[in-house]
Amino acid sequence: MTVRVRFAPSPTGYLHVGGARTALINWLFAKKHGGTFILRIEDTDEARSTPEMTQAILGGLSWLGITWDEGPFFQSERKALYAATADKLLASGGAYRCFCTKEAIASRKAALAKPDEWKYDGLCRSISEQESKRRAASGEPFVIRCKVPKEAIEWDDIIKGPIRFEPQEVEDFILVRSDKTPTYHLSVVSDDVQMQMTHVIRGEDHISNTPKQIAIYRALGAATPLFGHLPLILGPDQKKLSKRHGVTSVMAYRDEGILPLALFNFLAQLGVNLGEEPYLTLSEIITRFDLNAVKKSASVFDRAKLTFINAKVISGTPPCELAQLLHPFLAALLENAPEPDEAAVSVMATRAKDMKDLAAALVPFLTEDFVYDAKAMEKATKDRTGLEALRALLPKLQAVAPEDWAPEKLETLVRAHAEESGVKAGALIHPIRVFLIGRAESPGIFDLLFAMGRERTLARLRRGLAKMG
Ligand code: GLU
């Protein structure tokens, strides 16, 4: 069997982390088994679907590195198929016309002890075919309902295990509304049959839809795919992840400076143990991915873990690639930002938690007009003896040959000078750091000196010392 799976978003909102995780699991499953991953846009709700959202979803998937083998198919262009499926179901007796008006249903419902537990009572099931056709031909409005067999519907969920619905839990649900539009259940099964899906893997919020959809497969005499329902993603408060928890759209993470590989790793390991490494390449993830190992229970969205993975991905990405990815983040900070050089990117990337942070850390490499943190400045320059010793270090730095301007040699030089001057190395290092970049924190100071280069280092140290009198 060749695996065929799909991601079927409704373009009524952005691609959020829940949807992205569903897409990614399907994609991984297809890749793992040499299968086909299909993208289907479920845009039948014309009032709520927009082309902008479709583009945003496609953009989000592409950014994450999720590519599709077939599609995107648009349900709005496939209405003829849904009408044909409904006709087929009517003809085979798997569905029937229901002429109950909204008012009639409302009054039967109101008569119940617990109206909220109302399920369609099957009143129109008994209308003969002839009568049904006659009433339809006379223009009486109707919906088409699935004739759900009065038997339990169960399936062995590939993630959740066996799931069973009792007959009274599944009503004769609507397939076609009175305005002739297909419902979600009809269009999704028509497509899944026609597109020959072998597995339907989606969020667990769809579990209650599955018995209805299985009823349609059975009525059509079509083979049912295997179903797998992914557990929910929860916020830190153990409630379903939502906007209340802050950013959940994939593109917003991009704009915050999360790299796609980091988000991919983060989502791939939500509820799946992929190993001890902070992150893996996509091909390693495919190799290790196993749908059977997906946890049944919900996972908590741990933002700190995403930040941790992102920092690791940033420091593991070649500086030339980072330099490319930095453009929008630098442009937001500096007008006409020059390209940062690789040495600077490479050093500063070792401590950046996201791309915004990295861009900010690179500003002192790109302009003389950066901010000196006043507190850091005050603290680092309190020790006058240290500043004197630093002044005496300048000619020694000046004398370093360009080819010797390297972290180890600079470290030897600075430490020896501290010793000679009778000060601690920190007494030199702290003011050096703050004069060079205006902040109290940075990656290793000798790497920083190296990346800053000799001339710029000397100029900034001189300027800093002059300011201190
Ligand atoms: N369009 C549905 C949604 O956005 C998904 C349908 C499915 O996966 O069966 O939730």
Side-chain angles (χ1 to χ4, degrees):
M1 174 178 66
T2 316
V3 163
R4 290 178 62 83
V5 288
R6 81 312 194 269
F7 176 52
S10 306
T12 54
Y14 290 101
L15 180 65
H16 51 90
V17 291
R21 202 257 311 235
T22 301
L24 181 149
I25 299 282
N26 277 284
W27 184 86
L28 284 173
F29 186 66
K31 292 287 160 217
K32 175 97 195 179
H33 297 284
T36 304
F37 174 71
I38 292 149
L39 180 59
R40 185 172 74 220
I41 304 295
E42 306 210 317
D43 57 349
T44 46
D45 182 348
E46 280 165 23
R48 291 175 62 227
S49 305
T50 66
E52 292 72 39
M53 288 304 165
T54 298
Q55 282 317 313
I57 292 171
L58 302 188
L61 291 172
S62 306
W63 177 75
L64 263 177
I66 297 179
T67 47
W68 43 96
D69 306 305
E70 291 178 19
F73 297 107
F74 292 86
Q75 285 195 326
S76 56
E77 294 167 5
R78 300 169 58 80
K79 290 179 190 154
L81 173 69
Y82 314 141
T85 311
D87 287 344
K88 195 172 164 193
L89 287 167
L90 271 181
S92 69
Y96 60 92
R97 293 186 193 84
C98 167
F99 298 92
C100 294
T101 60
K102 278 206 176 82
E103 297 72 30
I105 288 184
S107 79
R108 291 195 327 258
K109 195 170 161 178
L112 285 186
K114 293 182 181 165
D116 287 349
E117 290 177 14
W118 158 269
K119 296 241 181 311
Y120 182 69
D121 50 14
L123 195 78
C124 292
R125 265 193 183 220
S126 54
I127 299 175
S128 73
E129 206 188 319
Q130 260 175 330
E131 173 71 0
S132 167
K133 278 192 178 146
R134 188 194 59 74
R135 288 171 71 173
S138 76
E140 193 178 335
F142 62 87
V143 299
I144 298 176
R145 291 187 183 269
C146 184
K147 194 185 280 175
V148 180
K150 295 285 166 228
E151 60 194 29
I153 295 179
E154 42 195 337
W155 73 93
D156 194 8
D157 196 278
I158 41 183
I159 295 162
K160 297 270 178 184
I163 299 184
R164 177 184 164 101
F165 279 78
E166 298 308 326
Q168 66 278 12
E169 293 180 284
V170 190
E171 68 175 351
D172 284 355
F173 58 94
I174 298 177
L175 296 166
V176 179
R177 300 184 191 91
S178 55
D179 64 1
K180 306 272 179 274
T181 56
T183 58
Y184 155 66
H185 296 299
L186 177 63
S187 43
V188 96
V189 175
S190 303
D191 281 338
D192 285 342
V193 170
Q194 200 259 348
M195 295 173 184
Q196 302 179 322
M197 294 302 150
T198 56
H199 299 72
V200 168
I201 304 165
R202 56 189 175 188
E204 75 171 33
D205 44 334
H206 284 287
I207 288 181
S208 62
N209 293 328
T210 300
K212 296 180 179 171
Q213 294 174 11
I214 290 177
I216 306 179
Y217 282 96
R218 291 191 184 157
L220 287 170
T224 34
L226 295 173
F227 288 94
H229 291 91
L230 294 164
L232 288 182
I233 305 177
L234 304 179
D237 56 358
Q238 304 289 320
K239 301 227 169 77
K240 187 180 170 185
L241 190 68
S242 74
K243 284 215 181 79
R244 283 181 299 117
H245 295 107
V247 180
T248 61
S249 125
V250 164
M251 289 317 225
Y253 283 112
R254 177 198 64 181
D255 298 344
E256 277 194 357
I258 300 289
L259 289 185
L261 184 61
L263 189 59
F264 196 106
N265 268 271
F266 176 77
L267 293 174
Q269 55 73 48
L270 264 183
V272 189
N273 183 4
L274 292 173
E276 295 308 312
E277 297 88 337
Y279 74 95
L280 303 169
T281 62
L282 292 198
S283 65
E284 284 165 334
I285 296 176
I286 294 168
T287 310
R288 293 194 200 175
F289 177 75
D290 175 7
L291 191 62
N292 297 314
V294 175
K295 261 195 340 195
K296 286 188 182 35
S297 53
S299 327
V300 174
F301 188 94
D302 179 353
R303 186 64 175 80
K305 182 157 188 193
L306 174 58
T307 305
F308 170 81
I309 297 175
N310 197 47
K312 295 288 182 191
V313 171
I314 290 178
S315 59
T317 302
C320 56
E321 260 177 58
L322 288 175
Q324 291 301 313
L325 297 167
L326 272 164
H327 285 168
F329 299 100
L330 284 172
L333 298 174
L334 284 181
E335 237 172 88
N336 305 321
E339 182 94 6
D341 56 52
E342 281 188 23
V345 175
S346 157
V347 169
M348 299 319 265
T350 58
R351 275 186 67 141
K353 66 181 194 315
D354 56 44
M355 296 297 281
K356 266 190 177 170
D357 197 30
L358 178 57
L362 285 166
V363 167
F365 289 87
L366 303 174
T367 171
E368 288 306 317
D369 186 19
F370 60 91
V371 181
Y372 285 89
D373 180 80
K375 260 204 191 125
M377 197 72 170
E378 198 195 307
K379 199 165 163 225
T381 55
K382 263 199 312 240
D383 173 3
R384 305 305 295 182
T385 3
L387 291 184
E388 280 321 306
L390 178 55
R391 199 182 302 280
L393 176 65
L394 295 189
K396 293 184 179 171
L397 289 174
Q398 176 89 64
V400 175
E403 64 277 17
D404 289 337
W405 191 267
E408 310 73 46
K409 294 211 167 148
L410 289 165
E411 177 162 11
T412 314
L413 177 76
V414 171
R415 291 196 189 281
H417 180 73
E419 211 168 309
E420 261 170 49
S421 323
V423 297
K424 287 198 171 130
L428 298 172
I429 288 170
H430 300 314
I432 292 178
R433 178 179 289 118
V434 77
F435 289 159
L436 288 187
I437 58 168
R439 316 176 173 204
E441 297 91 36
S442 77
I445 189 73
F446 305 107
D447 292 325
L448 185 67
L449 279 169
F450 162 69
M452 203 46 91
R454 192 182 69 173
E455 295 322 309
R456 205 160 37 175
T457 296
L458 285 165
R460 289 197 185 170
L461 295 182
R462 281 193 195 110
R463 194 172 66 182
L465 287 167
K467 239 192 255 171
M468 294 299 124

